Amino acid sequence: MEGQGAEPQEKAKLKILLAEDDPINQKLFSYMLKEVAGQLLLASTGVEAVRLYKENTDVDLILMDLKMPEMDGHEATHLIRQMDKKVRIFALSAFAPETQSNFINENGFNHYVSKPIRKAELLKAIEKQF
């Protein structure tokens, strides 16, 4: 209808790489990220996450599970950081570090998200980065 003002401009959707070995968590994240992800790439191992990043260097955000087969999230993040110091990487883990800020700074992450994941907290953290 005319005269009601312009619609708020929709934010651009993000290209997100999710490195998560649990298929149920992959589905849960896919659902939670619908409103912010224009494209969601899925990796089930750290090796696959690094490969997918090499093939998709335009990724906006990486959600990196710390415990995965073949290569854990720490090592995968280290390898990705060698290629790109600026890409935003969120650590995902059920095991909360004693001090999140030290953990983030020392391990190359931009943010830490503890499992179980709460949708509102995840989206708020993403919004702060973008």
Side-chain angles (χ1 to χ4, degrees):
M1 293 171 104
E2 288 185 74
Q4 294 210 352
E7 290 289 318
Q9 189 164 345
E10 191 172 317
K11 279 189 169 184
K13 299 269 185 162
L14 303 173
K15 185 171 184 178
I16 300 173
L17 169 57
L18 171 62
E20 167 63 63
D21 62 320
D22 184 302
I24 292 170
N25 282 344
Q26 287 179 351
K27 286 182 182 177
L28 181 62
F29 274 107
S30 296
Y31 170 76
M32 287 184 184
L33 296 168
K34 272 184 188 176
E35 60 196 70
V36 295
Q39 186 176 2
L40 184 63
L41 306 170
L42 297 175
S44 296
T45 69
V47 170
E48 192 176 353
V50 172
R51 180 186 57 77
L52 277 173
Y53 185 76
K54 283 180 183 176
E55 295 170 1
N56 298 273
T57 56
D58 61 336
V59 163
D60 298 300
L61 173 64
I62 300 171
L63 299 175
M64 183 72 72
D65 186 20
L66 297 181
K67 292 197 176 248
M68 290 183 291
E70 292 183 36
M71 177 189 297
D72 68 21
H74 292 282
E75 188 175 348
T77 296
H78 177 74
L79 292 173
I80 290 169
R81 283 288 179 228
Q82 289 179 344
M83 294 180 266
D84 186 340
K85 303 270 188 241
K86 294 183 180 180
V87 66
R88 291 171 183 100
I89 305 176
F90 287 11
L92 306 174
S93 181
F95 306 100
E98 287 184 31
T99 57
Q100 287 188 20
S101 59
N102 287 347
F103 176 84
I104 291 167
N105 294 334
E106 293 170 6
N107 293 285
F109 297 105
N110 298 95
H111 191 72
Y112 179 89
V113 180
S114 62
K115 293 179 182 179
I117 306 298
R118 290 173 183 80
K119 182 180 177 183
E121 288 177 28
L122 177 62
L123 295 180
K124 185 177 179 180
I126 292 171
E127 189 176 302
K128 279 185 177 182
Q129 295 286 324
F130 298 93

